[in-house]
Structure formats: C-alpha cells, structure tokens
Amino acid sequence: MIENPFYSHEIHGDYDVVSIGRLDLEEGGTIPDCHLAVATFGTLNEAKDNAVLVTTWFSGTHQIWRDVYIGPEHALDPGTYFIVVVDQIGSGLSTSPHNADGPNAALAMSDFPHVRIGDDVVAQERLLREHFGIDELALVVGGSMGAQQTYEWAVRFPQKVRRAAMIAGTAQNTPHDVLFADALVAAITSDPGYAEGEYKSNDDVVAGLTRHAGIWAVMGFSTEFWKQEVWRALEFDSKEAFMAGFLEPYFTAMDPNDLLTQAWKWQRGDVARHTGGDLAAALGRITAKTFVMPIDEDMFFPVRDVEPEQRLIAGSELRVVHDVLGHLGLFGVAPTYMPQIDQHLGELLAAPA
Amino acid sequence: MIENPFYSHEIHGDYDVVSIGRLDLEEGGTIPDCHLAVATFGTLNEAKDNAVLVTTWFSGTHQIWRDVYIGPEHALDPGTYFIVVVDQIGSGLSTSPHNADGPNAALAMSDFPHVRIGDDVVAQERLLREHFGIDELALVVGGSMGAQQTYEWAVRFPQKVRRAAMIAGTAQNTPHDVLFADALVAAITSDPGYAEGEYKSNDDVVAGLTRHAGIWAVMGFSTEFWKQEVWRALEFDSKEAFMAGFLEPYFTAMDPNDLLTQAWKWQRGDVARHTGGDLAAALGRITAKTFVMPIDEDMFFPVRDVEPEQRLIAGSELRVVHDVLGHLGLFGVAPTYMPQIDQHLGELLAAPA
C-alpha cells in the first residue's frame, strides 16, 4: 500500500467505501475483503423501483458523473431517481493495487490479481442487494469501460435490468482496442521507475504516465478536436499548454498499477464468454430496453464497431452522439454534449420497460 | 557512425549514393558533404522530358517503390519513364545520423542537425540537375512524408513540376499528426538504451523501437484492418504473430536516430512557411497538374484534412484511394490497392501538362 492523495475525499468529495466481503474472481484469484466506493444521489423510493446504477470508465470515478451528468437539470435527476455510482475495482477508490491493505495486504501493488468486468458486475450486484436492498434497476448506464459493465449487467442479470444505456463502448472488445491499450500499458511499464509495479510513489513513474497521456491525446480526442483547437474552450492558449495543464496532470496524479488493473480488464471485456464465444447469443439474452450510444468521432469505439452489436439486441435503438471531441467527449466539455445525453437518457427512462 | 546491416545493398538492392556537396539547412545547420541514395528505373530520353521523381516516406526507401509501384505492369513503367527514387535524408541510406562519417563525422548520432522537408527538396533538385541533367519532371509522386516532399516540390519549384501526385499526406502537417509523432518519438527516446542518442547499436533500443511499432499498429492501420484480420493475407495466424513477425522486426531493424530525424521533419512539413503562413497563397503557386490522393481509412491523414488543401490547388483533382488497411495501405498489401494507384497515376501521366 502506498499513499496517493489523489484518491481522497478532498479530491473526490463524498463517497462511502462499503465492504462486500470476499470476492472470488473469474480468473481464479480472490479479493479477501472487497471494498467498493459508492456515491449516491437522491432517495430510494418505497417500491425500490427508482434505482439507477452508474458504472465508471478507465481512469474515471463517480466524480465526473456527479459533476457533469447528475443533477436536477439532467435526465439523471436525484429528485426522481436514486442514483448509485459505483467506482470500479482498480479505480483507486474501490479495492485497488495501491490501497490494498489489512486482509487484502497480500494483493498490494504488483501482487494484485487480474480482475474482469464480470467481477465488477458481480460485486456491484451484491452491493446493491445486500447493502441497499435493490433487486432491480430502472437503468444501468455507463461510458467506455462503464458501457462494458452495462453490457455485462444486461447479459448477466437480464431480470434485474429494466433499461440499459451504453455510451461509447462495446460488448466485445475489438482487436484494435487491445492494441491501443497495449500501447498505453507499455508506456507505463517501460518506465524504469515503474520497477515492475513496486514503485514507492506514482511520482516515480511520472515519465511513463506522461507518455501514457501522450497516447491518449492521439486516440482519446479526434483529429478534428486538435484541428479546430477545441481545447481553447477550456481556456488554454496552446495544445502544449492543454497537454501540460490538463491531460498530463490528469493521468500523472493516478496510480500506475491501478490504471494497469483497469487496462487489463478493458482489454478483455466480452459478454460472449457467457455463451462460448457466441456474441449474438449473449446479446440475445438482453431483455432491457436498450439505447446504444456511440460517439460519432470516437477513434477507438467507432460507430461501425458499435452498431453491429446494437443490431443483435432485440428492441434496442442506436442513438449516435455527435461530439467533435471524440471518445473523451465523455468529459462533457462540449456544450452540445449533455443535451444529447439528457435527451436520449430522458427518452429511455420515460419508455415502458 | 555505427554499423547497421539493414542499410545495405543486401537488403535494399541496387542503388547509388551520390554526393551533392555541401547542404546548408533551413534550420541553420550544414551537412558538409550530403549524400543521397538514389535508385533509377528506365532511361532518360533525349528530350529529357520523361523523368519521374519519387520521394520516400517515414521508414520507407526506394525498395517498396521498386517492389510494389514500379514496373511494366504499372503506371510507373520504366519502359516509358525514367524513374528516379531518392531516399530522404535521414532514411539511413542517404546521409543520416547513424552513417555520418568522413566530412560529416561531426554530425554523427545525436549531433545530427535538424533537417526539413525543404532541405530534402533542395537536395533532390540539385541532384537531378547536376547529376542527371534533369530540369523538369513529368511527375513528382510520393506517399505520406513523400507527399509532403511532393507538395514542397510543387510549391517551391512550380516551373519544374509538370504533374504532382500526393498520396496519403498533407501540405501542412496537422496538430494531431504532431502529437502522433510525439508519441512515436517518446517511445524511442524513453528507452534507457537510447542513451540520449549515443547507443552503440539499434539493438540497444529494441524495447523502444518495439513500443514505437506498437503505436504504429494503432494508428498506421485502421480499426477495420484489425477487425477483419486482414493480416491473414500476409499469412500470419494471429495479430500477435503479425506484430512479432512483421511490424516489430520492420522497425527494430532500423536506426533510432534516423527515425527521429525523419519524425522531426514530418512534424514540421508545411508549405505555408514559404508564404508567411498563408496556405492558400502557397498552394496557389502550384502550376502542376495535381492529383491529391488520400486513403479513405487513413487514421492520421484523413480525407477531411486532405480535401481542404486540394481545393486550394487550381485544376487539381481529389482522387480518394479506398483501402481498408488505412495509412499503411501504402505497402500495397491489398490486391485492390495498386490498380487504383495505377488508374490515377496513369490518367495523370496521360493528361496534358
């Protein structure tokens, strides 16, 4: 375990850390005492039918959902819904390599086991049932790796998911995505300061984390984002200033092993492992009313990778989100982004399911 | 100077290395005795009006043009044209960091000066004029960085260029491209074996060159290339085998400083520096009959970055090349690629100019 001030209430505001006990992992390891960080908004009604689960993306936490997606002016309105945002395993707030201690001490740092999207979803289901008494969800929604978790929920627990919205992600990770994440991983692990995962501080790996940010710059945003200098909207004067003032510090604050745990999971997201590799059969299990929402400028979850999956989901709709930022449009920087998300999620929540 | 067997006649076949003498560089340095590697095909006619200049791309040499683009079955037919392929400065065959010796010894390795696309074109013009007695070109053609050189030729020496074909490249490099090349550069320079450019062998930098190949995998090919497993056409059984058997050895054989010299040049390709930043004015100087030929699946020279430049060239035509490989379609792997190139170049060469 090492101290990293980024993973704190000071940075991430209010959240609870809840133990769900022992979690046996799909890949064979075990987390003896799995903790999930969870932030809630609104109140569970008596019928317990107004719960919305939000899942988180690579490097993201409940914070961005709280700050951008959730509020009285949004479809995810805490006045109507009980919104539960669960930070993924390896997020740095839930059980993660850098914070493993006590009963999890044997999992610290490079000893952390491989975790899969399915493990997160099993953990989340237990948290909702045992801690909140929630047995069904009005909506599961997530972006990117959060979309992977949402697919997993809809396939694994179809009777519990009334509606599902997958933003900028796929049910089955693509080979190109695997290579992209390989490049991200290599940027970190090649830093001598990484020390095979046994660094003393994320500061030891600042060079690798900076290169990792540099690759995100190329793939996370669209070519048009850079050409149109959309970073000016964030009040930077140059792309160099945007990199040095935004994208690099965003990642260098984080824990390398935590990011690698998430990357390993991301690369292996695949609901078809429930059906012996048959993606159509897996997606055929979904009974939720489903909106599949790729971002049109996404460089690594392009619409054409997303749409064939959507077509395998009965009664689903493809709702393309238009955003020049590309994948990292998920940050909600463009003023035209959230109105689209709210429109789609609002329609979905209003639909019978 | 270090020995690198990749840059040899054994690997690259027949070519001559011609001294063009002292080359004063745009950035202020000097190459005391600049050598250009040049491969020719066909015969210069008496009127000296059948010369075609081919310029080379990042990491590429005359070899790929000889093997894929030039021949009696192609538009670039040595039976009709005198085809001169000039390897760029920093290519490893022409004067480059790893081979600087004799009068250039002070430029070896990390002491190599910054070279620009314009320096290559000035050097090529001198080579053609002084060594071959060529004063005008029936065609200048190149892909990627070769397209950058072709733009530079058409803007800088309009009276010498009757026709120009720019494949998969731009006249003015984009900010996204700069970031992409930054990531490639960082992959190499971050390798401790790189030793600030003073490694003893490219083998010392194999880890960095391998990461560099990994980033090319993500950007050089399209998402569809990977999804459709087009690498099977090259008789590999898995994408891992394709990486380990093709893309990684392709780059690890090369010299790191040579690649970095090319990358620096690539990042700064911009014909508008001739006109105080006015791209329209620069492209307005072109009198060549011009075909601009982006590849539709190119991840980093997308059609939408290329087309606005094409529209600034009087009488030019946009000829989009369709290739699922993306940028590295330039390798000519798809059986549908060369027929398109031959069609376009054949029409261009047949057009009055």
Side-chain angles (χ1 to χ4, degrees):
Chain A
M1 166 156 187
I2 60 178
E3 290 298 323
N4 182 326
F6 177 70
Y7 303 107
S8 65
H9 289 283
E10 192 178 346
I11 301 293
H12 286 90
D14 286 342
Y15 59 90
D16 292 319
V17 179
V18 180
S19 169
I20 59 155
R22 174 189 171 106
L23 184 68
D24 293 322
L25 302 169
E26 202 173 309
E27 287 287 309
T30 294
I31 299 177
D33 184 23
C34 182
H35 287 74
L36 295 178
V38 56
T40 65
F41 307 87
T43 308
L44 187 62
N45 63 15
E46 215 164 299
K48 296 188 173 183
D49 64 2
N50 71 333
V52 170
L53 173 67
V54 176
T55 53
T56 61
W57 58 66
F58 180 88
S59 81
T61 69
H62 63 270
Q63 182 189 23
I64 185 97
W65 282 86
R66 179 195 68 209
D67 293 350
V68 176
Y69 290 78
I70 296 168
E73 71 281 27
H74 294 300
L76 298 182
D77 178 1
T80 304
Y81 298 103
F82 179 57
I83 302 162
V84 182
V85 191
V86 183
D87 295 314
Q88 64 172 295
I89 299 168
S91 63
L93 297 177
S94 298
T95 295
S96 299
H98 95 274
N99 68 16
D101 66 353
N104 298 330
L107 313 184
M109 304 294 282
S110 66
D111 292 319
F112 204 74
H114 287 314
V115 179
R116 280 185 172 269
I117 294 286
D119 297 316
D120 273 287
V121 168
V122 165
Q124 289 159 11
E125 191 274 341
R126 194 192 302 173
L127 173 79
L128 292 175
R129 182 165 37 80
E130 296 186 352
H131 187 74
F132 293 105
I134 294 170
D135 282 317
E136 73 167 15
L137 292 158
L139 171 68
V140 182
V141 57
S144 198
M145 283 187 71
Q148 291 182 314
Q149 293 166 67
T150 303
Y151 273 114
E152 180 77 14
W153 261 99
V155 168
R156 188 168 197 134
F157 300 117
Q159 76 287 2
K160 295 200 165 207
V161 182
R162 275 154 49 208
R163 299 177 192 81
M166 298 77 164
I167 308 172
T170 54
Q172 186 170 60
N173 206 28
T174 65
H176 179 264
D177 247 26
V178 172
L179 290 161
F180 170 38
D182 277 349
L184 294 171
V185 165
I188 294 173
T189 58
S190 63
D191 188 331
Y194 174 68
E196 314 222 328
E198 294 298 328
Y199 49 86
K200 301 297 176 206
S201 158
N202 58 309
D203 290 341
D204 299 345
V205 197
V206 67
L209 291 167
T210 300
R211 290 197 297 279
H212 168 272
I215 298 172
W216 271 104
V218 178
M219 289 297 298
F221 296 107
S222 71
T223 57
E224 284 299 297
F225 169 84
W226 296 107
K227 188 163 67 177
Q228 297 179 23
E229 303 188 344
V230 179
W231 39 261
R232 289 194 187 278
L234 292 165
E235 300 187 1
F236 289 99
D237 291 332
S238 68
K239 75 176 191 303
E240 291 73 21
F242 172 74
M243 287 300 296
F246 179 82
L247 203 59
E248 291 172 3
Y250 176 79
F251 284 116
T252 56
M254 295 179 190
D255 182 79
N257 285 320
D258 292 2
L259 290 172
L260 295 173
T261 295
Q262 294 173 66
W264 195 93
K265 214 193 286 188
W266 163 18
Q267 291 183 301
R268 290 160 185 82
D270 182 8
V271 295
R273 74 202 191 295
H274 292 297
T275 50
D278 185 337
L279 183 62
L283 295 174
R285 292 187 180 180
I286 297 177
T287 54
K289 173 69 182 166
T290 300
F291 281 9
V292 175
M293 299 163 60
I295 297 175
D296 58 353
E297 291 278 357
D298 198 317
M299 299 272 284
F300 60 99
F301 288 115
V303 175
R304 65 181 172 188
D305 282 355
V306 172
E307 186 172 9
E309 296 183 339
Q310 177 267 319
R311 279 193 257 104
L312 295 173
I313 304 169
S316 67
E317 294 184 36
L318 184 75
R319 298 289 184 108
V320 177
V321 177
H322 305 283
D323 197 314
V324 75
L325 272 81
H327 190 75
L328 296 181
L330 287 168
F331 287 158
V333 168
T336 50
Y337 176 78
M338 275 310 300
Q340 297 177 75
I341 298 297
D342 284 331
Q343 176 71 30
H344 298 313
L345 293 187
E347 282 185 49
L348 180 57
L349 283 164
Chain B
M1 166 157 182
I2 60 177
E3 290 297 327
N4 182 327
F6 177 71
Y7 303 107
S8 66
H9 289 284
E10 192 179 346
I11 302 293
H12 286 91
D14 286 342
Y15 59 92
D16 292 320
V17 180
V18 180
S19 169
I20 60 155
R22 175 189 169 104
L23 184 68
D24 291 323
L25 302 169
E26 201 173 310
E27 287 287 309
T30 294
I31 299 177
D33 184 21
C34 183
H35 287 73
L36 295 179
V38 56
T40 65
F41 307 87
T43 308
L44 187 61
N45 63 15
E46 215 163 302
K48 296 189 174 183
D49 64 0
N50 71 332
V52 170
L53 173 67
V54 176
T55 52
T56 61
W57 58 68
F58 180 87
S59 81
T61 69
H62 63 271
Q63 182 189 26
I64 185 96
W65 282 86
R66 178 195 69 209
D67 294 349
V68 175
Y69 290 77
I70 295 169
E73 72 280 28
H74 294 299
L76 298 182
D77 178 2
T80 304
Y81 298 102
F82 179 56
I83 303 162
V84 182
V85 191
V86 183
D87 295 312
Q88 64 173 296
I89 299 168
S91 62
L93 298 176
S94 297
T95 295
S96 301
H98 95 272
N99 67 18
D101 66 353
N104 298 329
L107 313 184
M109 304 295 283
S110 66
D111 292 320
F112 205 73
H114 287 314
V115 180
R116 278 186 173 270
I117 294 286
D119 298 315
D120 273 285
V121 168
V122 165
Q124 290 159 11
E125 192 274 341
R126 196 192 300 173
L127 173 79
L128 291 175
R129 181 165 37 80
E130 296 185 350
H131 187 75
F132 293 105
I134 294 170
D135 280 317
E136 73 166 16
L137 291 157
L139 171 68
V140 182
V141 56
S144 197
M145 284 186 71
Q148 291 182 313
Q149 293 166 67
T150 303
Y151 273 113
E152 180 77 14
W153 261 98
V155 169
R156 188 167 196 136
F157 300 117
Q159 76 288 4
K160 295 200 164 205
V161 182
R162 276 158 44 213
R163 298 176 193 83
M166 299 75 164
I167 308 171
T170 54
Q172 186 171 58
N173 205 29
T174 65
H176 179 263
D177 247 25
V178 173
L179 289 162
F180 171 37
D182 277 348
L184 294 172
V185 166
I188 293 173
T189 58
S190 63
D191 187 333
Y194 174 68
E196 315 222 327
E198 295 298 328
Y199 49 84
K200 301 298 176 205
S201 159
N202 59 308
D203 290 339
D204 299 345
V205 197
V206 67
L209 291 167
T210 301
R211 289 197 297 279
H212 168 273
I215 298 172
W216 272 104
V218 177
M219 289 297 298
F221 296 106
S222 71
T223 57
E224 284 299 298
F225 170 84
W226 296 108
K227 189 163 68 176
Q228 297 179 23
E229 303 188 343
V230 180
W231 39 261
R232 290 194 186 277
L234 294 165
E235 300 187 1
F236 289 100
D237 291 331
S238 68
K239 75 177 193 303
E240 291 74 21
F242 172 75
M243 288 300 297
F246 178 81
L247 204 60
E248 291 172 3
Y250 175 81
F251 284 115
T252 56
M254 296 180 188
D255 182 78
N257 284 320
D258 293 1
L259 290 173
L260 295 172
T261 294
Q262 296 173 65
W264 195 93
K265 214 193 284 187
W266 163 19
Q267 290 183 302
R268 288 158 186 83
D270 181 8
V271 296
R273 75 203 191 295
H274 292 297
T275 50
D278 184 337
L279 183 62
L283 294 174
R285 293 185 180 180
I286 296 178
T287 54
K289 173 69 182 164
T290 299
F291 280 9
V292 175
M293 299 163 59
I295 297 175
D296 57 354
E297 290 278 357
D298 199 317
M299 299 271 285
F300 59 98
F301 288 115
V303 175
R304 66 181 172 189
D305 282 354
V306 171
E307 186 172 11
E309 296 183 339
Q310 177 266 319
R311 279 192 258 106
L312 295 173
I313 305 169
S316 67
E317 294 183 36
L318 184 75
R319 299 288 184 109
V320 177
V321 177
H322 304 283
D323 197 314
V324 73
L325 273 82
H327 190 75
L328 296 181
L330 287 168
F331 287 159
V333 168
T336 49
Y337 176 78
M338 276 309 300
Q340 296 176 75
I341 298 298
D342 284 332
Q343 176 71 31
H344 298 313
L345 294 186
E347 281 185 49
L348 180 57
L349 283 163

